[in-house]
Coordinates of all heavy atoms in Angstrom, one line a residue:
M1031 N 24.8 -97.7 72.6 CA 24.2 -97.5 73.9 C 23.0 -98.3 74.1 O 22.1 -98.4 73.2 CB 23.8 -96.0 74.0 CG 23.3 -95.5 75.3 SD 23.1 -93.7 75.4 CE 22.5 -93.5 77.1
S1032 N 22.8 -99.0 75.2 CA 21.6 -99.7 75.5 C 20.8 -99.0 76.5 O 21.2 -98.2 77.3 CB 22.0 -101.1 76.0 OG 22.7 -101.0 77.3
F1033 N 19.5 -99.2 76.3 CA 18.5 -98.5 77.1 C 17.7 -99.5 78.0 O 17.4 -100.6 77.6 CB 17.5 -97.7 76.3 CG 18.2 -96.6 75.5 CD1 18.6 -96.7 74.2 CD2 18.4 -95.4 76.2 CE1 19.2 -95.7 73.5 CE2 19.0 -94.3 75.5 CZ 19.4 -94.5 74.2
T1034 N 17.5 -99.1 79.2 CA 16.8 -99.9 80.2 C 15.3 -99.5 80.3 O 15.0 -98.4 80.6 CB 17.4 -99.8 81.6 OG1 18.8 -99.9 81.5 CG2 16.9 -100.8 82.5
P1035 N 14.4 -100.4 79.9 CA 13.0 -100.0 80.0 C 12.5 -99.7 81.4 O 13.1 -100.2 82.4 CB 12.2 -101.3 79.5 CG 13.3 -102.1 78.8 CD 14.6 -101.8 79.5
T1036 N 11.7 -98.7 81.5 CA 11.1 -98.3 82.8 C 9.6 -97.9 82.5 O 9.1 -98.0 81.4 CB 11.9 -97.2 83.4 OG1 11.5 -97.0 84.8 CG2 11.8 -95.9 82.6
L1037 N 9.0 -97.5 83.6 CA 7.6 -97.1 83.4 C 7.5 -95.7 83.0 O 8.2 -94.8 83.5 CB 6.8 -97.3 84.7 CG 6.6 -98.8 85.2 CD1 5.9 -98.8 86.5 CD2 5.8 -99.5 84.1
C1038 N 6.6 -95.4 82.1 CA 6.3 -94.0 81.7 C 5.5 -93.3 82.9 O 4.7 -94.0 83.5 CB 5.4 -94.0 80.4 SG 4.9 -92.4 79.9
R1039 N 5.8 -92.0 83.0 CA 5.0 -91.2 84.0 C 4.0 -90.4 83.3 O 4.3 -89.4 82.7 CB 6.0 -90.3 84.8 CG 7.0 -91.0 85.7 CD 7.8 -90.0 86.4 NE 8.6 -89.1 85.5 CZ 9.8 -89.5 85.0 NH1 10.3 -90.6 85.3 NH2 10.4 -88.7 84.1
P1040 N 2.7 -90.8 83.3 CA 1.7 -90.1 82.6 C 1.7 -88.6 83.1 O 1.8 -88.3 84.3 CB 0.4 -90.8 83.0 CG 0.8 -92.2 83.3 CD 2.2 -92.0 84.0
G1041 N 1.6 -87.7 82.1 CA 1.6 -86.3 82.5 C 3.0 -85.6 82.3 O 3.1 -84.4 82.4
C1042 N 4.0 -86.4 82.0 CA 5.3 -85.9 81.8 C 5.4 -85.2 80.4 O 5.6 -84.0 80.3 CB 6.4 -87.1 81.8 SG 8.0 -86.7 81.1
A1043 N 5.2 -86.0 79.4 CA 5.0 -85.5 78.0 C 6.3 -84.9 77.4 O 6.2 -84.3 76.3 CB 3.9 -84.4 77.9
A1044 N 7.4 -85.1 78.0 CA 8.7 -84.6 77.3 C 8.8 -85.1 75.9 O 9.2 -84.4 75.0 CB 9.9 -85.0 78.2
C1045 N 8.6 -86.4 75.7 CA 8.8 -87.0 74.4 C 7.7 -86.5 73.4 O 7.9 -86.7 72.2 CB 8.8 -88.5 74.5 SG 7.3 -89.2 75.2
C1046 N 6.6 -85.9 73.8 CA 5.6 -85.4 72.9 C 5.8 -83.9 72.6 O 5.0 -83.4 71.8 CB 4.2 -85.6 73.6 SG 3.8 -87.3 74.1
V1047 N 6.8 -83.3 73.2 CA 7.0 -81.9 72.9 C 8.4 -81.7 72.4 O 8.7 -81.1 71.4 CB 6.8 -81.1 74.2 CG1 7.1 -79.6 73.9 CG2 5.4 -81.2 74.7
V1048 N 9.4 -82.2 73.2 CA 10.8 -81.9 72.9 C 11.3 -82.4 71.6 O 12.1 -81.7 70.9 CB 11.7 -82.4 74.1 CG1 13.1 -82.2 73.8 CG2 11.3 -81.6 75.4
V1049 N 11.0 -83.7 71.3 CA 11.7 -84.3 70.2 C 10.9 -84.2 68.9 O 9.6 -84.0 68.9 CB 11.9 -85.9 70.5 CG1 12.8 -86.1 71.7 CG2 10.6 -86.6 70.7
S1050 N 11.6 -84.2 67.8 CA 10.9 -84.2 66.5 C 10.3 -85.6 66.2 O 10.9 -86.6 66.6 CB 11.9 -83.8 65.4 OG 13.0 -84.7 65.4
I1051 N 9.2 -85.6 65.5 CA 8.6 -86.9 65.1 C 8.5 -86.9 63.5 O 7.8 -86.0 63.0 CB 7.2 -87.1 65.7 CG1 7.4 -87.1 67.2 CG2 6.5 -88.3 65.2 CD1 6.1 -87.2 68.0
S1052 N 9.2 -87.8 62.9 CA 9.2 -87.8 61.4 C 7.9 -88.3 60.8 O 7.7 -88.0 59.6 CB 10.4 -88.7 61.0 OG 10.3 -90.0 61.5
E1053 N 7.1 -89.0 61.5 CA 5.9 -89.6 61.0 C 4.8 -88.4 61.0 O 4.9 -87.5 61.8 CB 5.4 -90.7 61.9 CG 4.4 -91.7 61.3 CD 4.1 -92.9 62.2 OE1 5.1 -93.3 62.8 OE2 3.0 -93.3 62.2
T1054 N 3.9 -88.5 60.0 CA 2.9 -87.5 60.0 C 2.0 -87.6 61.2 O 1.5 -88.7 61.5 CB 2.0 -87.6 58.7 OG1 2.9 -87.3 57.6 CG2 0.8 -86.7 58.7
I1055 N 1.7 -86.5 61.8 CA 0.9 -86.4 63.0 C -0.5 -86.0 62.5 O -0.7 -85.0 61.9 CB 1.4 -85.4 64.0 CG1 2.8 -85.8 64.5 CG2 0.4 -85.3 65.2 CD1 2.9 -87.0 65.3
P1056 N -1.6 -86.8 62.8 CA -2.9 -86.4 62.4 C -3.2 -85.0 62.9 O -2.9 -84.7 64.1 CB -3.8 -87.5 63.1 CG -2.9 -88.6 63.3 CD -1.5 -88.1 63.5
G1057 N -3.8 -84.2 62.1 CA -4.1 -82.8 62.5 C -3.0 -81.8 62.3 O -3.2 -80.6 62.4
L1058 N -1.8 -82.4 62.1 CA -0.7 -81.5 62.0 C -0.3 -81.4 60.5 O 0.4 -80.4 60.1 CB 0.5 -82.0 62.8 CG 1.6 -80.9 63.3 CD1 0.9 -79.8 64.1 CD2 2.6 -81.6 64.1
G1059 N -0.7 -82.3 59.7 CA -0.5 -82.3 58.3 C 1.0 -82.7 57.9 O 1.4 -82.4 56.7
G1060 N 1.7 -83.2 58.8 CA 3.1 -83.6 58.5 C 3.8 -84.0 59.7 O 3.2 -84.2 60.8
P1061 N 5.1 -84.0 59.7 CA 5.9 -84.4 60.8 C 5.9 -83.3 61.9 O 5.5 -82.2 61.6 CB 7.4 -84.5 60.3 CG 7.2 -84.6 58.8 CD 6.0 -83.9 58.4
K1062 N 6.2 -83.7 63.1 CA 6.2 -82.7 64.2 C 7.7 -82.2 64.4 O 8.6 -83.0 64.7 CB 5.7 -83.3 65.5 CG 5.5 -82.3 66.6 CD 5.2 -83.0 67.9 CE 6.5 -83.4 68.7 NZ 7.4 -82.3 69.0
P1063 N 7.9 -80.9 64.3 CA 9.2 -80.4 64.6 C 9.6 -80.5 66.1 O 8.7 -80.5 67.0 CB 9.1 -78.9 64.2 CG 7.9 -78.8 63.4 CD 7.0 -79.8 63.9
A1064 N 10.8 -80.5 66.4 CA 11.3 -80.5 67.8 C 10.8 -79.2 68.5 O 10.8 -78.2 67.9 CB 12.8 -80.6 67.8
G1065 N 10.4 -79.4 69.7 CA 10.0 -78.2 70.5 C 8.6 -77.8 70.3 O 8.1 -76.9 71.0
V1066 N 7.9 -78.5 69.4 CA 6.4 -78.2 69.2 C 5.6 -79.1 70.0 O 5.7 -80.3 69.9 CB 6.1 -78.2 67.7 CG1 4.6 -78.1 67.4 CG2 6.9 -77.2 66.9
R1067 N 4.6 -78.6 70.7 CA 3.7 -79.4 71.5 C 2.8 -80.2 70.5 O 2.1 -79.5 69.7 CB 2.9 -78.5 72.4 CG 1.9 -79.2 73.3 CD 1.2 -78.2 74.2 NE 0.2 -78.9 75.0 CZ 0.3 -79.4 76.1 NH1 1.5 -79.4 76.7 NH2 -0.7 -80.1 76.7
C1068 N 2.7 -81.5 70.7 CA 1.8 -82.3 69.8 C 0.4 -81.8 70.1 O -0.1 -81.6 71.2 CB 1.9 -83.7 70.1 SG 0.8 -84.7 69.1
P1069 N -0.4 -81.6 69.0 CA -1.8 -81.1 69.2 C -2.7 -82.1 69.8 O -3.8 -81.8 70.2 CB -2.2 -80.9 67.7 CG -1.3 -81.7 66.9 CD 0.0 -81.7 67.6
H1070 N -2.2 -83.4 70.0 CA -3.0 -84.4 70.6 C -2.7 -84.6 72.1 O -3.2 -85.5 72.8 CB -2.8 -85.7 69.9 CG -3.3 -85.6 68.5 ND1 -4.6 -85.5 68.1 CD2 -2.6 -85.6 67.3 CE1 -4.7 -85.3 66.8 NE2 -3.5 -85.4 66.3
L1071 N -1.9 -83.7 72.7 CA -1.7 -83.7 74.1 C -2.9 -82.9 74.8 O -3.3 -81.8 74.4 CB -0.4 -82.9 74.5 CG 0.8 -83.7 74.5 CD1 2.0 -82.8 74.9 CD2 0.8 -84.9 75.5
T1072 N -3.5 -83.6 75.8 CA -4.6 -82.9 76.5 C -4.0 -81.9 77.5 O -2.8 -81.9 77.7 CB -5.4 -84.0 77.3 OG1 -4.5 -84.5 78.3 CG2 -5.8 -85.2 76.4
P1073 N -4.8 -81.1 78.1 CA -4.3 -80.1 79.1 C -3.6 -80.8 80.2 O -2.8 -80.2 80.9 CB -5.6 -79.4 79.6 CG -6.5 -79.5 78.4 CD -6.3 -80.9 77.8
E1074 N -4.0 -82.1 80.4 CA -3.3 -82.9 81.5 C -2.0 -83.5 81.0 O -1.4 -84.4 81.7 CB -4.2 -84.0 82.1 CG -5.5 -83.4 82.7 CD -6.5 -83.0 81.7 OE1 -6.6 -83.5 80.6 OE2 -7.3 -82.1 82.1
N1075 N -1.6 -83.2 79.8 CA -0.4 -83.8 79.1 C -0.5 -85.3 78.9 O 0.4 -86.1 79.1 CB 0.9 -83.5 80.0 CG 1.4 -82.1 79.6 OD1 1.0 -81.5 78.7 ND2 2.4 -81.7 80.4
L1076 N -1.7 -85.7 78.6 CA -2.0 -87.1 78.2 C -2.2 -87.2 76.7 O -2.7 -86.2 76.1 CB -3.2 -87.7 79.0 CG -3.0 -87.6 80.5 CD1 -4.3 -88.1 81.2 CD2 -1.8 -88.4 81.0
C1077 N -2.0 -88.4 76.1 CA -2.3 -88.5 74.7 C -3.7 -88.9 74.4 O -4.2 -89.9 74.8 CB -1.4 -89.6 74.1 SG -1.7 -90.0 72.4
E1078 N -4.4 -88.0 73.7 CA -5.8 -88.3 73.4 C -6.0 -89.4 72.4 O -7.1 -89.8 72.1 CB -6.5 -87.0 72.9 CG -6.0 -86.5 71.6 CD -6.7 -85.2 71.1 OE1 -7.6 -84.7 71.9 OE2 -6.5 -84.8 70.0
L1079 N -4.9 -89.8 71.7 CA -5.0 -90.8 70.7 C -4.6 -92.2 71.3 O -4.6 -93.2 70.6 CB -4.1 -90.5 69.5 CG -4.4 -89.3 68.7 CD1 -3.5 -89.1 67.5 CD2 -5.9 -89.3 68.2
F1080 N -4.3 -92.2 72.6 CA -3.8 -93.5 73.2 C -4.8 -94.6 72.9 O -6.0 -94.4 73.2 CB -3.6 -93.3 74.7 CG -2.8 -94.4 75.3 CD1 -1.5 -94.4 75.3 CD2 -3.5 -95.5 75.9 CE1 -0.8 -95.4 75.9 CE2 -2.8 -96.5 76.5 CZ -1.4 -96.5 76.5
G1081 N -4.3 -95.7 72.4 CA -5.2 -96.9 72.1 C -6.0 -96.8 70.9 O -6.7 -97.8 70.5
L1082 N -5.9 -95.7 70.1 CA -6.7 -95.5 68.9 C -5.8 -95.8 67.7 O -4.6 -95.6 67.7 CB -7.2 -94.1 68.8 CG -8.2 -93.6 69.9 CD1 -8.6 -92.2 69.6 CD2 -9.4 -94.6 69.9
P1083 N -6.4 -96.3 66.6 CA -5.6 -96.6 65.4 C -4.9 -95.4 64.8 O -3.9 -95.5 64.1 CB -6.6 -97.3 64.4 CG -8.0 -96.9 65.0 CD -7.8 -96.7 66.4
E1084 N -5.5 -94.2 65.1 CA -4.9 -93.0 64.5 C -3.6 -92.6 65.2 O -2.8 -91.8 64.6 CB -5.9 -91.8 64.7 CG -7.1 -91.9 63.9 CD -8.2 -92.8 64.6 OE1 -7.9 -93.2 65.7 OE2 -9.3 -92.9 64.0
R1085 N -3.3 -93.2 66.3 CA -2.0 -92.8 67.0 C -0.8 -93.3 66.1 O -0.8 -94.4 65.7 CB -1.9 -93.5 68.3 CG -0.8 -93.0 69.2 CD -0.8 -93.7 70.6 NE 0.0 -93.1 71.5 CZ 0.7 -93.7 72.5 NH1 0.7 -95.0 72.5 NH2 1.5 -93.1 73.3
P1086 N 0.1 -92.3 65.9 CA 1.3 -92.7 65.1 C 2.0 -93.9 65.6 O 2.2 -94.1 66.8 CB 2.2 -91.4 65.2 CG 1.2 -90.3 65.4 CD 0.1 -90.9 66.3
K1087 N 2.5 -94.8 64.7 CA 3.2 -96.0 65.1 C 4.4 -95.7 65.9 O 4.7 -96.4 66.9 CB 3.5 -96.8 63.8 CG 2.3 -97.5 63.2 CD 2.8 -98.3 62.0 CE 1.6 -99.0 61.3 NZ 0.5 -98.1 60.9
V1088 N 5.1 -94.6 65.5 CA 6.3 -94.3 66.3 C 6.0 -94.0 67.7 O 6.8 -94.3 68.6 CB 7.1 -93.1 65.6 CG1 6.3 -91.8 65.7 CG2 8.5 -93.0 66.2
C1089 N 4.8 -93.4 68.0 CA 4.4 -93.1 69.4 C 4.1 -94.4 70.1 O 4.5 -94.6 71.3 CB 3.2 -92.2 69.4 SG 3.5 -90.6 68.6
S1090 N 3.4 -95.3 69.4 CA 3.0 -96.6 70.1 C 4.2 -97.4 70.4 O 4.2 -98.2 71.4 CB 2.0 -97.4 69.2 OG 0.9 -96.6 68.9
S1091 N 5.2 -97.3 69.6 CA 6.4 -98.2 69.8 C 7.4 -97.5 70.7 O 8.4 -98.2 71.1 CB 7.0 -98.6 68.5 OG 7.5 -97.4 67.8
Y1092 N 7.2 -96.3 71.0 CA 8.2 -95.6 71.9 C 8.0 -96.0 73.3 O 6.9 -95.9 73.9 CB 8.1 -94.1 71.7 CG 9.2 -93.3 72.4 CD1 10.4 -93.2 71.8 CD2 9.0 -92.7 73.6 CE1 11.5 -92.5 72.4 CE2 10.1 -92.0 74.3 CZ 11.3 -91.9 73.6 OH 12.3 -91.3 74.2
G1093 N 9.1 -96.5 73.9 CA 9.0 -96.9 75.3 C 9.8 -96.1 76.2 O 10.9 -95.6 75.8
A1094 N 9.3 -95.9 77.4 CA 10.1 -95.1 78.4 C 11.4 -95.9 78.8 O 11.3 -97.1 78.9 CB 9.3 -94.9 79.7
T1095 N 12.5 -95.2 78.9 CA 13.7 -95.8 79.4 C 14.3 -95.0 80.5 O 14.1 -93.8 80.6 CB 14.8 -95.9 78.2 OG1 15.1 -94.5 77.8 CG2 14.2 -96.6 77.0
R1096 N 15.0 -95.7 81.4 CA 15.6 -95.1 82.5 C 16.6 -94.0 82.1 O 16.7 -93.0 82.7 CB 16.3 -96.2 83.4 CG 16.7 -95.7 84.8 CD 17.1 -96.9 85.6 NE 16.1 -98.0 85.7 CZ 15.0 -97.9 86.5 NH1 14.8 -96.8 87.2 NH2 14.2 -98.9 86.6
E1097 N 17.3 -94.3 81.0 CA 18.4 -93.4 80.6 C 17.8 -92.0 80.1 O 18.4 -91.0 80.3 CB 19.2 -94.0 79.5 CG 20.1 -95.2 80.0 CD 19.3 -96.5 80.2 OE1 18.1 -96.5 79.8 OE2 19.9 -97.4 80.8
L1098 N 16.7 -92.1 79.4 CA 16.1 -90.9 78.8 C 15.0 -90.3 79.6 O 14.8 -89.0 79.6 CB 15.5 -91.2 77.4 CG 16.6 -91.3 76.2 CD1 15.9 -91.7 74.9 CD2 17.3 -90.0 76.0
C1099 N 14.3 -91.1 80.4 CA 13.2 -90.5 81.2 C 13.6 -90.2 82.6 O 12.9 -89.4 83.2 CB 12.1 -91.5 81.2 SG 11.5 -91.9 79.5
G1100 N 14.7 -90.8 83.1 CA 15.2 -90.4 84.4 C 14.1 -90.8 85.5 O 13.3 -91.6 85.3
E1101 N 14.3 -90.1 86.6 CA 13.4 -90.4 87.8 C 12.3 -89.3 87.9 O 11.3 -89.5 88.6 CB 14.2 -90.5 89.1 CG 15.3 -91.5 89.0 CD 14.7 -92.9 89.1 OE1 13.6 -93.1 89.5 OE2 15.4 -93.9 88.6
R1102 N 12.5 -88.2 87.3 CA 11.6 -87.0 87.5 C 11.3 -86.4 86.1 O 12.2 -86.5 85.2 CB 12.2 -86.0 88.4 CG 12.6 -86.5 89.8 CD 12.9 -85.3 90.7 NE 13.6 -84.2 90.0 CZ 14.9 -84.1 89.9 NH1 15.7 -85.0 90.3 NH2 15.4 -83.0 89.3
N1103 N 10.2 -85.7 86.0 CA 9.9 -85.1 84.7 C 10.9 -84.1 84.2 O 11.2 -84.0 83.0 CB 8.5 -84.4 84.8 CG 7.4 -85.4 85.0 OD1 7.6 -86.6 85.0 ND2 6.2 -84.9 85.2
E1104 N 11.5 -83.4 85.2 CA 12.5 -82.4 84.8 C 13.7 -83.1 84.1 O 14.3 -82.6 83.1 CB 13.0 -81.6 86.0 CG 12.0 -80.7 86.6 CD 11.0 -81.5 87.5 OE1 11.2 -82.7 87.8 OE2 9.9 -80.8 87.8
E1105 N 14.1 -84.3 84.6 CA 15.2 -85.0 84.0 C 14.8 -85.5 82.6 O 15.6 -85.4 81.7 CB 15.5 -86.3 84.9 CG 16.2 -85.9 86.2 CD 16.4 -87.2 87.0 OE1 15.6 -88.1 86.9 OE2 17.4 -87.2 87.8
A1106 N 13.6 -85.9 82.4 CA 13.1 -86.4 81.1 C 13.2 -85.2 80.1 O 13.6 -85.4 79.0 CB 11.7 -86.9 81.2
W1107 N 12.8 -84.0 80.5 CA 12.8 -82.9 79.6 C 14.2 -82.5 79.2 O 14.5 -82.3 78.1 CB 12.0 -81.7 80.2 CG 10.5 -81.9 80.1 CD1 9.8 -82.8 80.7 CD2 9.7 -81.2 79.2 NE1 8.4 -82.7 80.3 CE2 8.4 -81.7 79.4 CE3 9.9 -80.2 78.3 CZ2 7.3 -81.2 78.7 CZ3 8.8 -79.7 77.5 CH2 7.5 -80.2 77.7
Q1108 N 15.1 -82.5 80.2 CA 16.5 -82.2 80.0 C 17.2 -83.3 79.1 O 17.9 -82.9 78.1 CB 17.3 -82.1 81.3 CG 16.9 -80.9 82.1 CD 17.5 -81.0 83.5 OE1 18.1 -81.9 83.9 NE2 17.3 -79.9 84.3
R1109 N 16.9 -84.5 79.4 CA 17.6 -85.6 78.6 C 17.1 -85.7 77.2 O 17.8 -86.0 76.3 CB 17.5 -86.9 79.4 CG 18.2 -86.9 80.7 CD 18.1 -88.2 81.5 NE 18.7 -88.1 82.8 CZ 18.8 -89.1 83.6 NH1 18.4 -90.3 83.3 NH2 19.4 -88.9 84.8
H1110 N 15.8 -85.5 77.0 CA 15.2 -85.6 75.7 C 15.7 -84.4 74.9 O 16.0 -84.5 73.6 CB 13.7 -85.6 75.7 CG 13.2 -87.0 75.9 ND1 13.1 -87.6 77.2 CD2 12.7 -88.0 75.1 CE1 12.6 -88.8 77.1 NE2 12.4 -89.1 75.8
T1111 N 15.9 -83.2 75.5 CA 16.4 -82.1 74.8 C 17.8 -82.4 74.3 O 18.2 -82.1 73.2 CB 16.4 -80.8 75.8 OG1 15.1 -80.6 76.1 CG2 17.0 -79.6 75.1
E1112 N 18.6 -82.9 75.2 CA 20.0 -83.3 74.8 C 20.0 -84.4 73.8 O 20.8 -84.3 72.8 CB 20.8 -83.8 76.1 CG 22.2 -84.1 75.9 CD 23.1 -82.9 75.4 OE1 22.6 -81.8 75.4 OE2 24.3 -83.1 75.1
W1113 N 19.2 -85.3 73.9 CA 19.1 -86.4 72.9 C 18.7 -85.9 71.5 O 19.3 -86.2 70.5 CB 18.1 -87.5 73.4 CG 17.9 -88.6 72.4 CD1 16.8 -88.9 71.6 CD2 18.8 -89.7 72.2 NE1 17.0 -90.0 70.9 CE2 18.2 -90.6 71.3 CE3 20.1 -90.0 72.8 CZ2 18.9 -91.7 70.8 CZ3 20.7 -91.2 72.3 CH2 20.1 -92.0 71.4
E1114 N 17.8 -85.0 71.5 CA 17.4 -84.3 70.2 C 18.5 -83.6 69.6 O 18.8 -83.6 68.4 CB 16.2 -83.4 70.5 CG 15.7 -82.7 69.2 CD 15.0 -83.6 68.2 OE1 14.5 -84.7 68.6 OE2 15.0 -83.2 67.0
R1115 N 19.3 -82.9 70.5 CA 20.4 -82.1 70.0 C 21.5 -83.0 69.4 O 22.0 -82.8 68.3 CB 21.0 -81.3 71.1 CG 22.1 -80.3 70.7 CD 22.7 -79.6 71.9 NE 23.5 -80.4 72.7 CZ 24.7 -80.9 72.4 NH1 25.3 -80.5 71.3 NH2 25.4 -81.7 73.2
L1116 N 21.7 -84.1 70.1 CA 22.8 -85.0 69.6 C 22.4 -85.8 68.3 O 23.3 -86.2 67.6 CB 23.1 -86.1 70.7 CG 23.8 -85.5 72.0 CD1 23.9 -86.6 73.1 CD2 25.2 -85.0 71.6
T1117 N 21.1 -86.0 68.1 CA 20.7 -86.8 67.0 C 20.2 -86.0 65.8 O 19.7 -86.5 64.8 CB 19.5 -87.8 67.4 OG1 18.5 -87.0 68.0 CG2 20.1 -88.8 68.4
T1118 N 20.2 -84.6 65.9 CA 19.8 -83.8 64.8 C 21.0 -83.5 63.9 O 22.0 -83.0 64.4 CB 19.3 -82.4 65.4 OG1 18.2 -82.7 66.2 CG2 18.8 -81.5 64.2
P1119 N 20.9 -83.8 62.6 CA 22.0 -83.5 61.7 C 22.2 -82.0 61.6 O 21.3 -81.2 61.7 CB 21.5 -84.0 60.3 CG 20.2 -84.9 60.6 CD 19.7 -84.4 62.0
D1120 N 23.5 -81.7 61.4 CA 23.8 -80.2 61.3 C 23.2 -79.6 60.0 O 23.0 -80.3 59.0 CB 25.4 -80.1 61.2 CG 26.0 -80.4 62.5 OD1 25.3 -80.2 63.6 OD2 27.1 -80.9 62.5
Ligands
SF4_1376 S1 9.6 -88.7 78.3 FE1 9.5 -90.8 79.2 S2 8.3 -90.6 81.1 FE2 8.0 -88.8 79.9 S3 6.1 -89.2 78.8 FE3 7.8 -89.7 77.4 S4 8.1 -91.9 77.8 FE4 6.9 -91.2 79.5
SF4_1377 S1 0.2 -88.6 69.2 FE1 0.1 -88.9 71.4 S2 2.0 -90.0 72.0 FE2 2.3 -89.1 69.9 S3 3.3 -87.2 70.2 FE3 1.1 -86.8 70.1 S4 0.4 -86.8 72.3 FE4 2.4 -87.8 72.2

């Protein structure tokens, strides 16, 4: 499956909550489980580590795609939920 890059919508945050992150998240002491809100999300759903060296590499390299992010935040949450389900080993 190929993905088409698109612009991230600040404040969406689906990828910072819905999906699991295997890299250690500062302040969390380990990986982030799926469905857990990253502790570095601000009340406005922005990343407080954006641009800082502490930001996990997987986050810096993750890009918004039309297929996973859709056109609206609701679509992003639904599609990331489905993506997480499909890529989680039994
Ligand atoms: S799910 Fe997509 S649009 Fe939403 S914050 Fe993540 S990259 Fe941006
Ligand atoms: S560190 Fe930032 S980009 Fe990564 S999951 Fe947390 S809030 Fe999202």
Side-chain angles (χ1 to χ4, degrees):
M1031 183 174 183
S1032 62
F1033 292 99
T1034 312
T1036 189
L1037 292 177
C1038 175
R1039 291 180 301 273
C1042 163
C1045 56
C1046 303
V1047 178
V1048 172
V1049 299
S1050 57
I1051 297 177
S1052 57
E1053 201 171 322
T1054 294
I1055 302 289
L1058 208 55
K1062 187 189 86 58
V1066 172
R1067 182 181 172 86
C1068 177
H1070 299 292
L1071 271 179
T1072 69
E1074 296 78 26
N1075 276 353
L1076 302 176
C1077 176
E1078 67 179 3
L1079 299 182
F1080 192 87
L1082 299 179
E1084 293 85 0
R1085 192 181 192 213
K1087 288 183 178 55
V1088 67
C1089 299
S1090 302
S1091 63
Y1092 189 78
T1095 63
R1096 194 169 302 285
E1097 291 78 8
L1098 281 176
C1099 302
E1101 300 292 335
R1102 306 189 324 270
N1103 293 354
E1104 292 77 13
E1105 289 177 329
W1107 282 70
Q1108 289 170 357
R1109 294 181 186 186
H1110 279 80
T1111 298
E1112 181 65 3
W1113 180 254
E1114 178 68 24
R1115 187 183 70 76
L1116 290 172
T1117 57
T1118 302
D1120 292 332

